Amino acid sequence: WDFYKDNPLKGRDTILASVCPQVFGMHIIKLGFLLVLIGGVPEKKQGISIRGECHLLLVGEPGTGKSQFLKYACKLGNRTVMTTGTGTTSAGLTVTAVKGG
């Protein structure tokens, strides 16, 4: 990090460029994606400390790289499960959209 001590945002951009490199740009999406992957609330199960569950919902136009992000997340995490709207029962995947204003 000494290399980027004068310009930490440049260091952040270097990290973001290495995340899901097959998708160009989309730095805000990549930043949120990374925060979800490294975040989580610690839990203790049977005396073993593990990271809690993280959930990520990607919604957008076709061709924007949503599946690429999810496939990349599955490669990084060892306890990941990827699902789509067609691969889930209606009771298993629930989304609510409310228009504000």
Side-chain angles (χ1 to χ4, degrees), residues 36-94:
V36 167
L37 288 179
I38 64 173
V41 178
E43 293 181 5
K44 282 204 172 217
K45 289 189 178 178
Q46 300 173 353
I48 300 171
S49 182
I50 62 170
R51 186 180 71 152
E53 295 178 1
C54 300
H55 299 278
L56 176 66
L57 173 66
L58 295 174
V59 179
E61 296 292 324
T64 55
K66 298 179 298 292
S67 296
Q68 297 299 321
F69 280 114
L70 293 175
K71 288 176 186 173
Y72 190 81
C74 285
K75 280 195 240 179
L76 290 179
N78 57 356
R79 299 187 309 137
T80 56
V81 175
M82 184 172 105
T83 185
T84 61
T86 57
T88 308
T89 64
S90 60
L93 182 64
T94 306

Side-chain angles (χ1 to χ4, degrees), residues 2-58:
D2 289 337
F3 188 74
Y4 295 112
K5 67 181 176 186
D6 294 330
N7 193 355
L9 293 180
K10 179 90 170 146
R12 180 204 61 190
D13 290 343
T14 303
I15 293 171
L16 292 179
S18 68
V19 173
C20 201
Q22 63 268 32
V23 178
F24 180 75
M26 302 181 79
H27 292 297
I28 300 294
I29 305 298
K30 289 182 178 184
L31 183 60
F33 177 76
L34 260 183
L35 291 174
V36 167
L37 288 179
I38 64 173
V41 178
E43 293 181 5
K44 282 204 172 217
K45 289 189 178 178
Q46 300 173 353
I48 300 171
S49 182
I50 62 170
R51 186 180 71 152
E53 295 178 1
C54 300
H55 299 278
L56 176 66
L57 173 66
L58 295 174

